[in-house]
Amino acid sequence: MFDLHRLRLLRELKHRGTLAAVAAALSYSPSSVSQQLSQLESEVGVRLLEPVGRRVRLTPQAEILVAHTEAVMERLERAEADIATSLTDLTGTLRVAAFQTAALTLVPAMLGLLRDAHPRLRVHVTQMEPERALLALQARDFDLVVAEEYPGHPTPRPAGLEQEHLLDDPLRLALPAPPAAAGGGPTAALRALAGRPWVMEPEGSAARHWATTLCRDAGFEPDVRFESTDLLLHLRLAEEGHAAAFLPELVWNGRPPTVALRRLPRGRGTRTVLTAVRRGGGRHPAVEACRDALRQAARA
């Protein structure tokens, strides 16, 4: 019988890509991971890894083994879910990842609801952008992810993940103070900022792609002088008159806006907030409780 711990290391290598990434995720040394995988090769009796430059990749036989390992882990997760369901109260640790504005607005309310309903449940929250968080969810670093989608840029939906719509979060054009003249409709208001500095999220992100496309559709290339994933910094730069920005309503969490805002062109100004959870191991009651709390937070 194959060693389950070593099988898990092989599965981690498939999802994380390098021995160093596996070692960092599991708090091992790369040499220890390599040694364990070599022992697994001896157990299986076939080659599982082959060198590609300075890295390694899984052989076809290793891919077969990983597929069976996934099935074994799903059964073990189902057993964990069944045991948790049999208990009168939820215990253990629930690992949640959320992007910034959801972490600022939805997550605190969610935590309050869970604390009142399940005081013995430990909830660990990490702020992380959806692109990274969804990959980590597949690797089972998290039990639940709060993700977002920008108009025209849907979030990838890997197999094995269930996604649920929580709310639609309107996006607005934040004018730098003092606001530029913005007569006419939404496109005219956007075009009026063609010569002003902009703050946007970093290159390669879905938010940056969406924002750049929106400006180009209005007829100009944005002068992006500030880059950050921190939307509170975006807000501050707009408040101080240093940059124009695109901001979601969740930034204010129901409070009055602190900058002049304009609507965006129709069909381009709403992002969708989603939850995603791996369902391969069954419906875990702690995950369901967390999703219920997020739904209540979104309705509020």
Side-chain angles (χ1 to χ4, degrees):
M1 184 176 295
F2 303 143
D3 183 272
L4 181 58
H5 171 68
R6 294 174 188 142
L7 290 173
R8 185 192 173 201
L9 291 178
L10 184 65
R11 177 198 168 276
E12 292 286 333
L13 180 59
K14 174 178 172 60
H15 284 285
R16 301 184 188 277
T18 67
L19 293 172
V22 174
L26 301 180
S27 300
Y28 293 140
S29 67
S31 61
S32 176
V33 174
S34 179
Q35 182 181 34
Q36 291 290 315
L37 291 176
S38 294
Q39 292 179 8
L40 180 61
E41 282 189 328
S42 298
E43 291 177 0
V44 179
V46 297
R47 193 169 187 178
L48 299 176
L49 305 176
E50 55 188 12
V52 180
R54 295 185 177 181
R55 305 177 66 171
V56 294
R57 69 182 175 196
L58 275 62
T59 64
Q61 292 72 35
E63 295 282 359
I64 293 171
L65 199 55
V66 166
H68 285 284
T69 302
E70 295 279 12
V72 170
M73 293 187 68
E74 287 177 4
R75 291 291 302 188
L76 291 174
E77 287 180 347
R78 188 176 299 277
E80 181 185 9
D82 289 345
I83 290 172
T85 302
S86 72
L87 301 175
T88 57
D89 192 18
L90 298 181
T91 60
T93 299
L94 182 71
R95 301 159 301 170
V96 179
F99 63 96
Q100 185 190 34
T101 47
L104 287 169
T105 56
L106 300 178
V107 168
M110 175 201 78
L111 292 173
L113 291 166
L114 289 175
R115 178 188 57 203
D116 294 342
H118 308 287
R120 297 178 61 196
L121 180 65
R122 177 185 174 90
V123 184
H124 187 277
V125 178
T126 301
Q127 181 185 317
M128 186 178 291
E129 294 307 304
E131 292 89 343
R132 293 176 52 213
L134 289 172
L135 292 176
L137 181 65
Q138 280 192 291
R140 290 181 169 85
D141 289 343
F142 298 110
D143 301 301
L144 185 144
V145 165
V146 184
E148 62 184 346
E149 286 185 352
Y150 278 80
H153 301 277
T155 301
R157 302 195 177 192
L161 300 187
E162 177 187 288
Q163 299 198 34
E164 174 185 345
H165 173 259
L166 275 179
L167 59 89
D168 290 327
D169 184 21
L171 291 152
R172 299 286 185 255
L173 173 62
L175 306 181
T187 300
L190 181 56
R191 193 178 293 125
L193 295 168
R196 300 294 293 268
W198 284 82
V199 55
M200 292 185 180
E201 297 202 30
E203 287 279 5
S205 65
R208 177 63 170 270
H209 188 204
W210 167 82
T212 302
T213 301
L214 194 59
C215 292
R216 288 174 178 169
D217 288 347
F220 69 96
E221 188 71 23
D223 177 12
V224 182
R225 300 190 195 178
F226 312 101
E227 291 185 312
S228 175
T229 59
D230 186 348
L231 293 187
L232 296 182
L233 175 59
H234 292 213
L235 173 60
R236 187 62 174 163
L237 290 171
E239 288 174 334
E240 295 294 326
H242 297 301
F246 295 114
L247 294 173
E249 286 193 358
L250 277 180
V251 164
W252 289 281
N253 194 21
R255 295 184 295 271
T258 54
V259 293
L261 298 176
R262 297 291 185 272
R263 293 186 179 276
L264 296 178
R266 184 179 297 275
R268 305 301 303 275
T270 300
R271 68 173 182 173
T272 301
V273 179
L274 304 168
T275 57
V277 59
R278 187 174 184 88
R279 286 300 191 191
R283 291 178 177 264
H284 197 288
V287 174
E288 293 304 305
C290 185
R291 282 156 63 99
D292 288 342
L294 279 169
R295 294 185 196 105
Q296 293 182 58
R299 287 195 297 268

